Amino acid sequence: MAHGGPHSAYPAEFVPFTAAFVKAGFAVVATNFRGSVGYGQEFVRSLPKHCGDLDVNDVLFVAKQLVEEGKIDKEKLVLCGGSHGGFITLHAWVLLLSYSFKQRPSPLHSALGSTLACSRRQLQETP
């Protein structure tokens, strides 16, 4: 999951939204990409003029690394986020289409804001 902001962060504490995904059977990785707070000013200042590049690549790196390590199934991969996280999600899915993933995901734009997500079912049914 990619948080909003971009100058925000996922906390190391219980988050009901994340717990709902876990309860639904998903493994959740909450990525604090470059530009997130809590890692010093240099980390925060690295993102301006590089939005859509550093942040997206950080999230994609985590996803690719987990797939390569066999910790997640690339055919059940879901990326989601709201606000700036939705921006990252859309950009990441576009880039994922150029990787060696077997199935093309179909991002959906939520009517509740700029939250972008793919359901597990859509990933499995997409040719």
Side-chain angles (χ1 to χ4, degrees):
M1 293 189 342
H3 61 73
H7 304 304
S8 180
Y10 278 115
E13 61 188 41
F14 178 79
V15 178
F17 184 73
T18 304
F21 275 100
V22 172
K23 180 74 174 164
F26 293 92
V28 176
V29 177
T31 306
N32 285 323
F33 47 83
R34 279 176 279 188
S36 300
V37 296
Y39 300 92
Q41 286 301 311
E42 186 176 326
F43 198 74
V44 171
R45 286 192 293 254
S46 68
L47 190 59
K49 297 185 182 181
H50 300 285
C51 278
D53 182 20
L54 296 179
D55 46 0
V56 173
N57 285 321
D58 287 349
V59 170
L60 285 175
F61 174 81
V62 171
K64 285 180 65 180
Q65 189 69 30
L66 292 171
V67 168
E68 289 172 7
E69 292 176 5
K71 294 183 178 179
I72 60 171
D73 182 345
K74 67 182 175 185
E75 295 178 16
K76 294 182 180 177
L77 176 63
V78 176
L79 297 177
C80 69
S83 186
H84 188 75
F87 165 84
I88 291 172
T89 301
L90 179 60
H91 282 74
W93 277 127
V94 169
L95 291 174
L96 281 174
L97 294 176
S98 66
Y99 291 159
S100 60
F101 285 78
K102 290 182 182 176
Q103 297 187 25
R104 282 185 38 173
S106 300
L108 297 176
H109 187 266
S110 171
L112 299 175
S114 59
T115 300
L116 295 167
C118 283
S119 73
R120 186 182 330 180
R121 182 175 176 200
Q122 286 172 312
L123 284 173
Q124 292 169 344
E125 293 177 354
T126 304

